[in-house]
């Protein structure tokens, strides 16, 4: 974080500065890392004592002091020998500080901000943009999937006076949450990737999901740019909701930044990016045709920031993994491939992963799909698990292994569609799935492991990857 005095921080967050028992003064400057996790506190850093559903960050404030915190932001003063700012709500205070820090850095006239949202692909697109922009100048981007009311501002607080690009991933579980993050960061470029059923249960339906995702572009200024998915019928109409200049990406001829001549194989995807009169061939090492849309979105945003298409293509070719646990290729022994895509799952990403599995099948070899529950779908859960079961059969997946009660309906649907001779198997646990796969896989086979993070199947994928390494 940029250096601010204790008085400036208290003013920014609307809090009361308490210095009793500390050696600090209002003019004391601090500028270390900001965190809500006492285990991550660095000497000279700031610790926000956030209350959680099951715990209270104030309990861990002594540990934060022991690790060298220079300032605590708390909801009530603590008997600790360190400077403290007392606020009504530490999460609100975290957002207020991020807003002020981004405002100050932007006032220097150097930093530009990209916001990324969508039901799927946020983290991949953010990572691709970081790779592209890091070659152009100092870049800050969200760590892991830091995209909510806590992770978003913590990312923003990593900017310094030297930062040229901030890439902020923005997620939500309800209406108004993306708007809050947008007001903090004030993006120059806002990307909306896709609106699907991911978290639809939390939002209260697909219409509310659309409304929430559109918050990325509704407050953009005429001087800003909205980057929208031309292929998504829920995203493309957002062009009418923004005052910003609109740039479309997609596979169709009507997209401003589009992909042509796609070739999908087990080593990734090859395609040509076309933007106006310019074009560049990309050998993209990230597995799955669905990641091409993420690459196009990142490319469209980078072009608006002045990066040449040739530089964009060169950067994309250096990426071989979207993120740990996202279409991650493991294994290798006896030409057996394990695809770990169990970091998360929605109906759209599940369907895309199954299609990729069918596309990369080796001649004469078999495909295994080890699938767990897609969570947070609410009233759509049953019918969407049905749909994935039918899709697995229709794609000709050789062996379906369904794990856990939450996904059992997927197995029943596959049987009803024709997988009644053992092509679909149901097991209760990841251990049972492991034993089944190990006993059945033959040289040359490809195994996809896919589920929502809550199902825990990414650990199964890692275990299979180690066994077949």
């Amino acid at each position: 974080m940029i250096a601010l005095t204790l008085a400036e921080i208290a003013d920014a967050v609307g809090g009361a500065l308490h210095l009793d028992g500390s050696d600090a003064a209002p003019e004391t400057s601090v500028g270390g890392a900001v965190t809500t996790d006492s285990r991550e506190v660095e000497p000279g850093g700031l610790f926000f004592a956030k209350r959680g559903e099951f715990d209270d960050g104030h309990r861990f404030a002594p540990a934060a002091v022991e690790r060298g915190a220079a300032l605590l932001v708390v909801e009530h003063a603590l008997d600790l020998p360190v400077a403290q700012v007392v606020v009504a709500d530490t999460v609100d205070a975290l957002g207020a500080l991020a807003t002020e820090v981004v405002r100050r850095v932007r006032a220097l006239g150097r930093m530009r901000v990209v916001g990324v949202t969508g039901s799927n692909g946020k983290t991949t697109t953010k990572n691709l943009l970081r790779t592209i922009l890091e070659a152009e100048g100092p870049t800050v981007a969200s760590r892991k999937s830091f995209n909510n009311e806590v992770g978003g501002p913590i990312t923003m607080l990593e900017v310094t006076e030297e930062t040229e690009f901030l890439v902020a991933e923005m997620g939500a579980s309800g209406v108004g949450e993306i708007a809050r993050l947008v007001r903090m960061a004030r993006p120059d470029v806002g990307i909306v990737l896709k609106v699907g059923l991911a978290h639809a249960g939390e939002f209260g339906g697909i219409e509310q999901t659309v409304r929430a995702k559109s918050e990325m572009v509704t407050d953009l200024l005429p001087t800003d740019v909205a980057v929208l998915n031309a292929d998504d019928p829920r995203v493309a109409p957002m062009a009418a909701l923004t005052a910003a200049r609109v740039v479309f990406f997609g596979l169709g001829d009507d997209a401003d930044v589009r992909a042509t001549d796609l070739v999908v194989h087990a080593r990734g995807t090859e395609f040509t990016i076309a933007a106006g009169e310019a074009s560049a061939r990309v050998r993209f090492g990230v597995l799955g045709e669905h990641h091409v849309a993420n690459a196009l979105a990142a490319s469209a945003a980078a072009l608006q920031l002045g990066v040449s298409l040739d530089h964009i293509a060169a950067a994309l070719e250096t990426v071989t993994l979207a993120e740990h646990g996202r279409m991650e290729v493991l294994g290798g022994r006896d030409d057996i491939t394990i695809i770990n895509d169990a970091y998360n799952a929605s109906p759209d990403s599940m369907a895309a992963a199954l299609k990729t599995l069918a596309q990369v099948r080796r001649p004469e070899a078999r495909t295994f799909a080890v699938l767990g529950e897609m969570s947070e779908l609410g009233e759509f859960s049953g019918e969407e698990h049905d749909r994935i079961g039918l899709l697995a059969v229709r794609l000709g997946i050789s062996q379906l292994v369904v794990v856990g009660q939450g996904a059992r309906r997927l197995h029943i649907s596959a049987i009803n569609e024709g997988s009644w001779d053992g092509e679909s198997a149901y097991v209760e646990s990841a251990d049972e799935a492991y034993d089944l796969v190990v006993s059945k896989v033959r040289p040359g086979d490809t195994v996809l492991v896919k589920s929502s993070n809550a199902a825990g199947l990414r650990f199964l994928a890692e275990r299979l990857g180690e066994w077949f390494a």
Side-chain angles (χ1 to χ4, degrees), residues 19-248:
L19 299 176
D20 295 344
S22 77
D23 297 329
E27 298 77 23
T28 300
S29 179
V30 296
V34 178
T35 184
T36 61
D37 188 337
S38 61
R39 297 166 297 182
E40 296 180 353
V41 171
E42 298 176 4
L46 288 71
F47 174 69
F48 280 71
K50 181 180 76 72
R51 294 182 187 274
E53 183 179 356
F54 303 107
D55 219 328
D56 183 351
H58 294 78
R59 290 202 313 115
F60 304 99
V65 174
E66 289 180 7
R67 292 184 63 87
L71 175 65
L72 306 180
V73 180
V74 293
E75 294 177 5
H76 54 83
L78 302 173
D79 185 18
L80 292 169
V82 67
Q84 301 172 45
V85 173
V86 179
V87 297
D89 187 296
T90 53
V91 173
D92 288 345
L94 183 66
L97 183 59
T99 302
E100 176 62 12
V101 166
V102 170
R103 185 193 68 78
R104 290 188 179 219
V105 174
R106 295 204 61 156
L108 300 175
R110 186 175 188 176
M111 184 175 75
R112 286 173 290 176
V113 180
V114 182
V116 184
T117 197
S119 298
N120 307 108
K122 295 185 294 296
T123 300
T124 299
T125 302
K126 174 260 299 180
N127 289 341
L128 295 176
L129 258 175
R130 172 169 49 200
T131 299
I132 295 168
L133 296 176
E134 280 178 339
E136 306 296 318
T139 300
V140 170
S142 310
R143 287 177 281 140
K144 301 179 181 177
S145 294
F146 275 29
N147 61 25
N148 62 8
E149 61 183 0
V150 174
I154 285 177
T155 297
M156 298 172 202
L157 287 166
E158 293 180 9
V159 302
T160 68
E161 291 87 349
E162 288 72 43
T163 302
E164 292 188 23
F165 304 104
L166 167 62
V167 184
E169 182 180 336
M170 298 182 181
S173 57
V175 172
E177 295 179 13
I178 291 173
R180 177 179 180 174
L181 295 171
V182 166
R183 287 192 293 269
M184 292 179 200
R186 292 294 176 190
D188 301 283
V189 180
I191 301 173
V192 185
L193 297 165
K194 190 174 184 62
V195 175
L197 290 176
H199 311 295
E202 292 183 319
F203 280 104
I206 193 65
E207 294 80 8
Q208 292 295 87
T209 308
V210 173
R211 179 182 170 193
K213 300 304 182 185
S214 69
E215 292 169 2
M216 174 61 74
V217 300
T218 50
D219 287 343
L220 293 180
L221 302 175
T223 52
D224 299 329
V225 180
V227 175
L228 302 177
N229 187 348
D231 298 335
D232 190 313
R234 298 188 182 105
V235 174
M238 293 180 189
L241 304 178
T242 183
R245 180 166 55 86
V246 174
V247 173
F248 286 108

Side-chain angles (χ1 to χ4, degrees), residues 21 29 37 46 51 53 158 227 281 283 326 332 335 342 345-346 348 395 403 425 432 456:
S29 179
D37 188 337
L46 288 71
R51 294 182 187 274
E53 183 179 356
E158 293 180 9
V227 175
R281 189 69 177 167
R283 293 172 179 81
R326 299 176 191 262
D335 287 329
S346 68
D348 288 331
L395 288 172
V403 187
E432 292 176 82

Side-chain angles (χ1 to χ4, degrees), residues 244-261:
R245 180 166 55 86
V246 174
V247 173
F248 286 108
F249 68 91
L251 300 182
D253 293 337
D254 55 342
D256 301 296
V257 180
R258 60 193 183 279
T260 62
D261 304 320

